[in-house]
Amino acid sequence: MTDSDRNKHIAANGPVTLADIAKLAGVSPVTVSRAINTPALVKPRTLEAIEKVIARTGYVPNLLAGGLASRRTRLIAAIVPSVSSTIFAETIEGLNAELVSAGYQLLLGLSGYDAGRELELTRAILARRPDGIILTGITHLKETRAMLTGAGLPIVEIWDSTPSPLDTAVGFSHSAVGALVAEHLLIRGYDRYAQVGANDPRAVQRRDGFIGRLNGIAEVELPALEMNSPSTFRDGRVAMAQLLDSGHGTLGVFCSSDVVAHGALAEANSRGCSMPDDLAIIGFGDFDFTPHTHPPLTTVRIDRRDIGTKAAQSILRKIAGDENVEAMINVDFRIVARGTA
């Protein structure tokens, strides 16, 4: 019987099993299992033979069944609001690279900035028994918190700072970001100050930090525009038009993202505003386009990829039983001053 005939015979009797692979490769099922899970312990020629059979048959290991004894699936789940924004895309890249190098796979869920959707995703993900779960932010429904606590898995919350994480958090204080931006603008002493921001929890924290630092010094203007997350270039342009139409004097503006700031900059340029003397604009994120706008956009830089890398390292240490992982792992941020402020 040829290899092709053997494959057809196996397929006719149901999905290819580990025992089928062992039979075709002429080795024991234990050796096949070892080749899949710890290939470094298998002789190169034997490993090559097993891999050829797996490739020929299209066999997919049942890692859940294979991990029952160790209770490991080698799967890490992460829930993020969106992958359309560079903000989260680079974090995911850092997270994935670190996990793959450790032999883990990343299962990704998109919550769309919706706490209810996060709850649904958490329920679905936990049913698949991941070895750990990564969440964006520290604001969750009580049902989500209860579910995660009951699961007994390592948990890492990213992109935020808190003294009391569910397990471990990797991020920074958004309120402190807002205060730092206010300090930067106060040095130049503008007549008016405004904040243009989205309504997700982290953007709101940045807004509140900005307002808090200016409390008692200046009123902070907020455009009459409901900005959902992710906010857009158009949102920034419309908001800036409202601000320029509503008053006079020099103006310092903090935007919740570089995309919004780019829209605000376009509106300012269309009106011939002088920056940064008459108008200052500061964004958030330091996207790749910010040095190339006219004038170059001042923004807040965070190492987005490093958040993912540190989150992966933390969860892998917890899975390995390390009890010394810090509860709060802080990531630095700073203002990158360019032409707009």
Side-chain angles (χ1 to χ4, degrees):
M1 184 181 290
T2 66
D3 288 342
S4 177
D5 289 337
R6 290 190 184 94
N7 291 349
K8 290 178 181 178
H9 176 74
I10 289 171
N13 289 280
V16 181
T17 66
L18 186 142
D20 294 329
I21 299 300
K23 185 175 181 180
L24 291 172
V27 297
S28 70
V30 171
T31 301
V32 175
S33 178
R34 189 176 295 126
I36 293 170
N37 296 299
T38 53
L41 300 180
V42 180
K43 293 179 180 178
R45 291 183 63 181
T46 303
L47 181 62
E48 182 181 2
I50 293 170
E51 288 176 340
K52 284 182 178 179
V53 172
I54 289 175
R56 191 173 74 237
T57 60
Y59 172 65
V60 178
N62 185 339
L63 295 182
L64 181 59
L68 288 177
S70 64
R71 299 178 63 84
R72 296 283 173 83
T73 60
R74 305 198 74 79
L75 183 72
I76 302 295
I79 299 177
V80 298
S82 169
V83 293
S84 62
S85 169
T86 305
I87 283 276
F88 298 113
E90 291 189 13
T91 298
I92 294 166
E93 288 174 3
L95 179 62
N96 187 64
E98 199 73 17
L99 292 177
V100 168
S101 68
Y104 282 78
Q105 297 300 322
L106 177 64
L107 174 65
L108 195 62
L110 306 181
S111 65
Y113 297 92
D114 185 328
R117 177 61 179 154
E118 182 187 67
L119 172 62
E120 294 173 2
L121 284 168
T122 300
R123 182 179 290 113
I125 286 169
L126 291 179
R128 287 158 176 77
R129 301 296 188 269
D131 290 344
I133 187 166
I134 296 168
L135 305 170
T136 304
I138 56 174
T139 305
H140 318 288
L141 295 177
K142 62 179 182 180
E143 294 89 349
T144 304
R145 289 177 171 274
M147 197 181 301
L148 290 166
T149 302
L153 295 174
I155 301 164
V156 177
E157 296 165 287
I158 59 174
W159 273 97
D160 220 327
S161 175
T162 175
S164 54
L166 286 170
D167 192 3
T168 292
V170 177
F172 56 95
S173 168
H174 290 264
S175 178
V177 167
L180 180 65
V181 171
E183 291 276 2
H184 187 84
L185 293 174
L186 279 170
I187 291 173
R188 297 191 68 95
Y190 293 92
D191 299 324
R192 304 163 56 203
Y193 297 88
Q195 201 276 335
V196 177
N199 58 6
D200 70 84
R202 288 168 296 283
V204 170
Q205 289 177 42
R206 295 194 293 275
R207 178 200 68 195
D208 291 347
F210 183 73
I211 293 173
R213 178 61 186 86
L214 290 167
N215 185 38
I217 300 172
E219 292 291 329
V220 175
E221 300 175 39
L222 303 174
L225 177 67
E226 179 69 19
M227 292 174 58
N228 296 319
S229 296
S231 44
T232 65
F233 178 95
R234 178 185 179 278
D235 289 332
R237 185 152 193 173
V238 170
M240 179 57 78
Q242 290 182 5
L243 290 170
L244 294 175
D245 290 341
S246 66
H248 302 283
T250 59
L251 174 64
V253 182
F254 174 36
C255 298
S256 63
S257 75
D258 285 343
V259 173
V260 174
H262 193 194
L265 177 59
E267 181 64 23
N269 281 333
S270 74
R271 298 186 182 214
C273 296
S274 175
M275 289 173 277
D277 294 332
D278 296 331
L279 171 66
I281 300 173
I282 300 181
F284 174 81
D286 195 25
F287 288 7
D288 57 2
F289 66 79
T290 55
H292 309 293
T293 58
H294 178 72
L297 186 64
T298 296
T299 184
V300 179
R301 175 181 293 171
I302 308 98
D303 192 333
R304 303 183 292 270
R305 187 182 181 93
D306 191 47
I307 292 175
T309 299
K310 282 184 167 60
Q313 291 171 345
S314 298
I315 209 160
L316 290 171
R317 286 172 60 191
K318 283 184 169 291
I319 291 170
D322 188 343
E323 297 181 356
N324 297 314
V325 179
E326 305 92 321
M328 182 66 233
I329 300 170
N330 290 294
V331 176
D332 292 335
F333 57 86
R334 66 182 179 90
I335 290 179
V336 180
R338 298 191 181 105
T340 62

